[in-house]
Amino acid sequence: MNINWIILIIGGVFESIFAMSLGKMQQTSGKEMWLWLAIFLASVSLSMFLLFKSMGGSHPIPTGTAYAVWAGIGAVGTVVLSILVFREPVTFWRIFFLSTLIISIVGLQFTSAHH
């Protein structure tokens, strides 16, 4: 796995953080809400920057693949965090479709690596 994939994965993690911070902002007010806003702004900036960096350098990830994987990592991470933090329901179908998303992300990584 080249460094761009690691950068992209970290960017996807920060996407989950910025999505979760939006949920936390809706549940808070005052200084705590401003703290979550600061976390949102920092994580969205870092996430976008890391997405951008993963598409450059000596082994760039193609734009379509990078964006799809970045968004998929963010989606999977957000669902998992929502289950853990917000106590969202865990159902068979939710886990089934989350699993298909993970399989798709891995598949994109493998097909892009051989391209």
Side-chain angles (χ1 to χ4, degrees), residues 28-38:
T28 60
S29 61
K31 289 182 182 180
E32 188 177 354
M33 185 204 64
W34 290 104
L35 174 64
W36 284 110
L37 176 62

Side-chain angles (χ1 to χ4, degrees), residues 14-69:
F14 278 101
E15 186 192 2
S16 296
I17 294 169
F18 85 68
M20 287 302 300
S21 65
L22 289 174
K24 294 299 278 183
M25 279 174 35
Q26 291 180 336
Q27 295 179 342
T28 60
S29 61
K31 289 182 182 180
E32 188 177 354
M33 185 204 64
W34 290 104
L35 174 64
W36 284 110
L37 176 62
I39 292 169
F40 167 77
L41 292 173
S43 58
V44 75
S45 298
L46 192 52
S47 180
M48 293 289 176
F49 176 73
L50 293 172
L51 172 62
F52 166 76
K53 290 298 284 183
S54 73
M55 294 186 289
S58 60
H59 299 291
I61 300 171
T63 302
T65 301
Y67 182 78
V69 170

Side-chain angles (χ1 to χ4, degrees), residues 94-115:
R94 196 165 195 200
I95 299 304
F96 172 79
F97 287 116
L98 194 60
S99 299
T100 62
L101 182 55
I102 292 168
I103 291 166
S104 297
I105 292 168
V106 171
L108 280 171
Q109 193 272 337
F110 280 122
T111 59
S112 178
H114 298 303
H115 189 259

